[in-house]
Amino acid sequence: MIEELSKEYDIHVNSQRKSDLDEWVAHYRSFAIEGQTANYIPALRNAHLSQLGITILEPGGTMIKSGDWEVPFTLQSISKVLSFIAACLGRGISYVLERVDVEPTGDAFNSIIRLEMHKPGKPFNPMINAGAITVASLLPGDSSQKKLEFLYGLFENLLGKRPTINEEVYQSEWQTSHRNRALAHYLKETNYLESEVEEALEVYLMQCSIEVTTEDIALLGLILSQDGYHPVRKEQVIPKKVAKLAKALMLTCGMYNASGKFAAFIGVPAKSGVSGGIMALVPPSARSGMPFQDGCGIGIYGPAIDEYGNSVAGSLLLKQMAQEWDLSIF
Amino acid sequence: MIEELSKEYDIHVNSQRKSDLDEWVAHYRSFAIEGQTANYIPALRNAHLSQLGITILEPGGTMIKSGDWEVPFTLQSISKVLSFIAACLGRGISYVLERVDVEPTGDAFNSIIRLEMHKPGKPFNPMINAGAITVASLLPGDSSQKKLEFLYGLFENLLGKRPTINEEVYQSEWQTSHRNRALAHYLKETNYLESEVEEALEVYLMQCSIEVTTEDIALLGLILSQDGYHPVRKEQVIPKKVAKLAKALMLTCGMYNASGKFAAFIGVPAKSGVSGGIMALVPPSARSGMPFQDGCGIGIYGPAIDEYGNSVAGSLLLKQMAQEWDLSIF
Amino acid sequence: MIEELSKEYDIHVNSQRKSDLDEWVAHYRSFAIEGQTANYIPALRNAHLSQLGITILEPGGTMIKSGDWEVPFTLQSISKVLSFIAACLGRGISYVLERVDVEPTGDAFNSIIRLEMHKPGKPFNPMINAGAITVASLLPGDSSQKKLEFLYGLFENLLGKRPTINEEVYQSEWQTSHRNRALAHYLKETNYLESEVEEALEVYLMQCSIEVTTEDIALLGLILSQDGYHPVRKEQVIPKKVAKLAKALMLTCGMYNASGKFAAFIGVPAKSGVSGGIMALVPPSARSGMPFQDGCGIGIYGPAIDEYGNSVAGSLLLKQMAQEWDLSIF
Amino acid sequence: MIEELSKEYDIHVNSQRKSDLDEWVAHYRSFAIEGQTANYIPALRNAHLSQLGITILEPGGTMIKSGDWEVPFTLQSISKVLSFIAACLGRGISYVLERVDVEPTGDAFNSIIRLEMHKPGKPFNPMINAGAITVASLLPGDSSQKKLEFLYGLFENLLGKRPTINEEVYQSEWQTSHRNRALAHYLKETNYLESEVEEALEVYLMQCSIEVTTEDIALLGLILSQDGYHPVRKEQVIPKKVAKLAKALMLTCGMYNASGKFAAFIGVPAKSGVSGGIMALVPPSARSGMPFQDGCGIGIYGPAIDEYGNSVAGSLLLKQMAQEWDLSIF
């Protein structure tokens, strides 16, 4: 698919927007020093702090790229959107939502307090770790391999290629994932986990270790922006209802416990990962004559993250774009 | 203004939508028995459980009304949107946001836990009571009367009439508002309150006691839907940036701790009050040929509320409308 | 009574213990610099940090004093023991314990979290502020004046003199007591308060402002050590069951959220106040030939307090005494 | 040792106390129906609810037994006292207390909230599961087998026999111990665990599965009552300082989150287990002519437990004894 993109899509078709982007990327790259790489995952520590790259895809066939757009990185929490969609496809929305709620929390992504405070401990949403581990256990298949196969199938269906796993990152997370194990065992005890603990963790950490570039996540964002319609393959690959649900979750819970600030000051559905990726999207808009009126998908990579876990430079770049181009959905 | 509305606006112009609405109102009215009136405010206890009314206003001059649209009720938490806007107008956005955050919490509206858990106790958002009481204290003026005057001025500017206070409700809340007093004293101790406790509470409880009908809040919603542009007075009455911020807050935090579920399944900015009112809005949309393509304001009243504090019948009605008419912003 | 003490009691009868005490007082006085005075109560800020004084009273008529034993200070939280006893005398143990539990919490003395987390919000014990304010409201009498009269009556019965109120401290606390007001309003809402909020607060803050010396609280401690039998007046002034309950509460909850450490390393019932006072006691012991075998009351004053609210030098002095003289009840 | 007890000790020497006990055991046995067996551990479910037995041992050689004193049961949380003592013997008190605090919490024994709320998450005391798992990891030895060997060595030293493990209970707990695994992984992440997670859990669950009778825990209690001096072996088997620390912890934290109520109304150091055992003790007392003036150890078994996890009938029996025989340490 990505190869087809290069064929089908006109790169840099709008020179004004391209030059704006280049300028902003150069500018915000320097802000990365205010953040740091995710040092609790050893294999992520060595990313180049000042990298910043972006890909924007429009449904009509325009592609804009700037900076380090081609640097590979792992999905991390961005995969939570993908696995939530996969679980809804495989088990049905209502089945999934009986086991995980869709409420934002204001808590850190790895918090365990709310599970105990709100008996009986249903995870608050699929974008925090407790919810994502639960969702991983809900994927169809009675083994971690089958669950992953189902997830990889969706990935291939959307992006036209098999996912690549960054084994070093996976091993690194597997060794150090004590907090996630604590969450998983807690969920096992309260009966929200539909598999063994180690199985759910394997699925969850493997999905986190899928390697992508900004191009890949821009395409994912684009498909969601089009309510699940794939503009390259020209077919509905995700049911509209599931796509809308995923976008609402991205807006209310996608940027960790800075999601409210993102909704307020940027105003587009987005999901970040501690590797520094941000998958964002703009739905089609009524603002005739405005940029990206038919919607677009946005992939950003900038590995220095802030206290919440969001890319420092990536967030600033997205904010600049949203303000200059009036992208807010509100 | 409301009088002008009757002159300028064509009522029931679209007979299909009107008859759909009438049918849904008749249908969902019966669901009110699953809820109850806000019994912790004595003066609200006696509302008629099965009432349900709605007004929809479009910028172009169409008005649809159905059911008990003309029954007066008090704003309660819907006033939080108004006072937040007033504080931003009077003190500037950044001043306000230094004293109240914009993050959803997942907690009940009157929760105090988070203030102590997250030192130094900045209220998480202006839609929960702790945040709204803080915002009330930030209104310009060195007395409760002056602060209220400022708020009433905005109300008059938007709706073309002075607000009416339901004195019985106000007295009732003033007598029983122990939890709000607890919050206010807590905020005073942590220095977030910019007035005396009783002053902030008087402003807050007075704004809650402003009496409106669905027509009034539909017009408020319509103005926000148009990014602060008043379609009757034909001028920008709220800065676009403030309007967008208010809408983002409504979507992420407006329906108490069911806000995530509203975003996921309804997908329009909305703010509810325990009196049973819901102020909602639809921004202009790219969906050509769809209803309310230029956006609309929606006012709903149904006094039986659920465990979260949202109108039972009103929520169901709004969900039906959102699904049938494809109103989600996602 | 205190005057009688001087007549009845032999001061400094045991010169070895007296000289040990003098040495320790001189030594630990210098540790006060690690603490600070309670700066949230303006009138307490100006105490002399390096003061340290102690009085020890034995039932048989021995009194040992050392250092700044005669400096007046306000009871603060030490008064919680007195008002708990008064409430039990006036209303009965079981009535009181229906409204306040006797469980230690591990939380700070002014914490509000637990009231919300553990529905329906019964205060965990009478030694934290939430519990003490509840107890103040339970004192017999339908006005703050009558409730205080009852408490003063107990004070006079035990100490043979009317209590003196430090008006400056009282006014200072009344003005700044936002957190206590928050707690009181919270308790009012959950129906644990048996009076108006301001009434309970007046009683609570007045009792906190009673001025004493180490001699006074040593006598209180002595009476408790003798299970409520007054060794000077030679009569049972507090029922044994109430005295034992008070001592258990002092041991498990008396030293704020360092109570566990006090029980573990010192091992005698003690109650501290943020003014720097500590009322402690040693029950009669089986250790024949050991000091204070018949029990004793201990009053300590050292105004520099630590992060928990306990006198820095006073705690160290008490620990030294407990270890050297084998005072632990375990 | 237990065999020697039978030789050395005069059984039923005091016929009045024996007949009192028999009467109370018969009476309180019927109260067990208010509780239930620990149904979250499958192997404990099948205990006979109405069993109730007790052994009391005095240092001078008196032994009183009543009811189902000889029924074997597993130590469960009573083992926390033993492993805490073992860790102090093996690593030193200060080393242990750097990793686990001694503060009561008011929370349920398996609560995880406080670990996250109080950064950096040091367990509050060794009597809750988080603390006990940490303590298990601190036992000397670089494998679970060596750690257990150390613990068994202490057990043998105190009781004169090797511990017997109830394999069925151990397997049952190992399979279902998700909450304990969650706690252990959490502690691993915050660096309080000094071994692998599975290692600490194996030690912890094995110590819980040691099978004893009321005679065994009465002897443990007796040794603690004598400050670590073994009255049969006639030597100091636990340092006095460690014994006092263990007794303070039992009193403030030993009866789960009913510890405050036990201290207040019973007033002797005690530790319960969910299997229905209670190990209690009375220190030597100054009350000449009172029962058990030289102290005693008490072992109780009654498998029906209440909401806190304490034996229903056992608690009532202990309360009766404490009141009738004036056993409180206060």
Side-chain angles (χ1 to χ4, degrees), chain D residues 41-59:
Chain D
I41 304 177
L44 296 183
R45 267 185 222 145
N46 302 319
H48 296 284
L49 273 179
S50 66
Q51 288 181 327
L52 180 59
I54 183 169
T55 295
I56 306 176
L57 288 181
E58 288 186 82

Side-chain angles (χ1 to χ4, degrees), chain B:
Chain B
M1 197 72 53
I2 297 295
E3 293 67 33
E4 294 175 51
L5 277 179
S6 313
K7 290 179 223 144
E8 292 207 8
Y9 271 62
D10 297 325
I11 301 190
H12 311 164
V13 76
N14 184 312
S15 60
Q16 179 56 48
R17 281 175 212 159
K18 163 67 178 155
S19 69
D20 282 353
L21 258 193
D22 285 345
E23 187 188 313
W24 297 335
V25 165
H27 178 65
Y28 289 114
R29 194 189 285 282
S30 63
F31 286 76
I33 53 165
E34 291 170 19
Q36 49 186 1
T37 52
N39 53 21
Y40 67 94
I41 303 178
L44 296 183
R45 268 185 220 145
N46 302 318
H48 296 284
L49 273 180
S50 66
Q51 288 182 328
L52 180 59
I54 183 168
T55 295
I56 307 177
L57 290 180
E58 288 186 81
T62 308
M63 181 193 292
I64 313 179
K65 292 172 170 185
S66 185
D68 305 302
W69 66 266
E70 88 287 36
V71 173
F73 59 93
T74 49
L75 276 178
Q76 299 302 331
S77 290
I78 298 174
S79 71
K80 291 168 179 173
V81 180
L82 208 63
S83 65
F84 175 70
I85 293 171
C88 288
L89 294 180
R91 309 300 291 268
I93 291 177
S94 61
Y95 188 91
V96 172
L97 296 189
E98 277 165 28
R99 281 149 191 85
V100 58
D101 205 341
V102 293
E103 285 301 326
T105 67
D107 301 328
F109 61 88
N110 59 0
S111 181
I112 202 165
I113 287 182
R114 200 167 286 263
L115 295 180
E116 184 176 332
M117 274 178 68
H118 295 259
K119 298 288 166 58
K122 185 174 174 178
F124 259 53
N125 69 65
M127 300 293 120
I128 54 172
N129 291 16
I133 294 169
T134 301
V135 165
S137 83
L138 298 179
L139 289 173
D142 56 6
S143 70
S144 53
Q145 208 41 53
K146 286 181 187 157
K147 288 175 191 300
L148 281 168
E149 232 4 274
F150 190 87
L151 185 70
Y152 295 166
L154 173 63
F155 186 94
E156 193 167 1
N157 198 27
L158 299 177
L159 297 187
K161 63 175 180 186
R162 292 283 295 178
T164 311
I165 302 299
N166 184 321
E167 272 294 328
E168 188 197 348
V169 169
Y170 173 72
Q171 290 302 336
S172 177
E173 297 204 37
W174 182 260
Q175 300 302 329
T176 59
S177 210
H178 301 299
R179 185 68 165 265
N180 286 326
R181 277 195 164 72
L183 287 166
H185 280 289
Y186 198 104
L187 292 162
K188 184 68 184 175
E189 200 231 356
T190 48
N191 286 315
Y192 284 103
L193 221 56
E194 271 205 4
S195 69
E196 292 309 304
V197 162
E198 296 297 302
E199 205 171 296
L201 280 171
E202 189 186 338
V203 173
Y204 175 64
L205 295 178
M206 285 290 269
Q207 77 184 46
C208 285
S209 304
I210 294 176
E211 205 160 71
V212 294
T213 67
T214 60
E215 215 174 20
D216 298 313
I217 57 175
L219 180 51
L220 290 177
L222 177 61
I223 295 165
L224 288 174
S225 125
Q226 305 302 306
D227 274 348
Y229 180 82
H230 197 306
V232 181
R233 292 184 40 195
K234 302 199 192 314
E235 58 175 302
Q236 189 79 23
V237 286
I238 300 168
K240 181 176 169 183
K241 202 170 173 186
V242 173
K244 283 201 179 299
L245 190 48
K247 285 187 276 187
L249 280 167
M250 289 168 72
L251 190 94
T252 55
C253 322
M255 301 303 284
Y256 302 120
N257 45 333
S259 299
K261 285 177 268 294
F262 264 77
F265 301 116
I266 300 183
V268 302
K271 181 74 206 83
S272 60
V274 289
S275 52
I278 301 177
M279 169 175 72
L281 65 94
V282 180
S285 141
R287 291 156 292 210
S288 62
M290 292 303 292
F292 310 110
Q293 200 185 329
D294 299 326
C296 68
I298 300 169
I300 294 178
Y301 173 65
I305 59 174
D306 62 19
E307 56 178 310
Y308 301 108
N310 299 318
S311 171
V312 172
S315 300
L316 291 167
L317 176 59
L318 193 57
K319 189 175 179 185
Q320 179 83 49
M321 291 163 57
Q323 288 178 349
E324 288 291 323
W325 294 336
D326 202 9
L327 301 181
S328 165
I329 61 174
F330 295 106

Side-chain angles (χ1 to χ4, degrees), chain A residues 103 105 114 244 260-261 330, chain B residues 105 114 244 260-261 330:
Chain A
E103 286 301 324
T105 66
R114 201 166 285 263
K244 285 202 180 296
K261 285 176 268 295
F330 294 107
Chain B
T105 67
R114 200 167 286 263
K244 283 201 179 299
K261 285 177 268 294
F330 295 106

Side-chain angles (χ1 to χ4, degrees), chain C residues 97 101-107 113-114 117-118 124 227 240 244-245 247-248 251-252 257-261 263-265 269 283-287 326 328-330, chain D residues 97 101-107 113-114 117-118 124 227 240 244-245 247-248 251-252 257-261 263-265 269 283-287 326 328-330:
Chain C
L97 296 189
D101 206 340
V102 293
E103 285 301 325
T105 68
D107 301 329
I113 288 182
R114 199 167 286 262
M117 275 178 68
H118 295 257
F124 260 52
D227 275 346
K240 181 176 169 183
K244 284 201 179 298
L245 191 46
K247 285 186 275 187
L251 190 94
T252 55
N257 46 334
S259 298
K261 284 177 268 295
F265 301 117
S285 142
R287 291 158 290 212
D326 202 10
S328 166
I329 62 174
F330 294 106
Chain D
L97 295 189
D101 206 341
V102 292
E103 286 300 325
T105 67
D107 302 328
I113 288 181
R114 201 166 284 264
M117 275 178 67
H118 295 258
F124 258 52
D227 275 346
K240 181 176 169 181
K244 285 202 179 295
L245 190 47
K247 284 187 276 188
L251 189 94
T252 55
N257 45 334
S259 299
K261 284 177 269 295
F265 302 116
S285 143
R287 291 158 290 210
D326 201 11
S328 165
I329 62 173
F330 294 107

Side-chain angles (χ1 to χ4, degrees), chain D residues 24-38 47-53 68 275-276 301-307 310-317:
Chain D
W24 299 335
V25 165
H27 178 65
Y28 288 114
R29 194 189 285 282
S30 64
F31 287 76
I33 54 166
E34 291 170 18
Q36 48 186 3
T37 53
H48 296 284
L49 273 179
S50 66
Q51 288 181 327
L52 180 59
D68 305 301
S275 51
Y301 172 65
I305 59 174
D306 62 20
E307 55 177 311
N310 298 319
S311 171
V312 172
S315 300
L316 291 167
L317 175 59

